[in-house]
Amino acid sequence: MSDFYEEDLLSYTIYVEVSADRYNPAFSWSVCKDNIEYDSGLAFSKDDAIAEAKAAATKLSSE
């Protein structure tokens, strides 16, 4: 499994990657559109980060 994940969902792009903090391993995620970051966060696993990013994109698209 790669440490990077990218997906287009509901006109947003989801990015997930390993956090740069080597003392607190986690995955950072962001939801972007047209080079603007609309939401972001941290999760302890890659699967959780993907799920959180998808939920954020879904919420953004319904607003």
Side-chain angles (χ1 to χ4, degrees):
M1 183 185 272
S2 172
D3 288 337
F4 182 78
Y5 178 86
E6 181 178 339
E7 177 183 351
D8 291 328
L9 178 68
L10 303 170
S11 76
Y12 292 92
T13 304
I14 294 171
Y15 299 100
V16 174
E17 61 188 357
V18 175
S19 173
D21 186 351
R22 67 181 187 171
Y23 297 108
N24 295 309
F27 286 85
S28 61
W29 61 265
S30 60
V31 177
C32 305
K33 181 177 181 181
D34 300 327
N35 294 321
I36 298 171
E37 184 178 283
Y38 286 91
D39 203 349
S40 63
L42 287 173
F44 289 111
S45 75
K46 184 176 179 181
D47 291 336
D48 287 346
I50 292 169
E52 290 177 21
K54 285 183 176 184
T58 301
K59 182 178 178 187
L60 286 166
S61 71
S62 68
E63 293 179 351

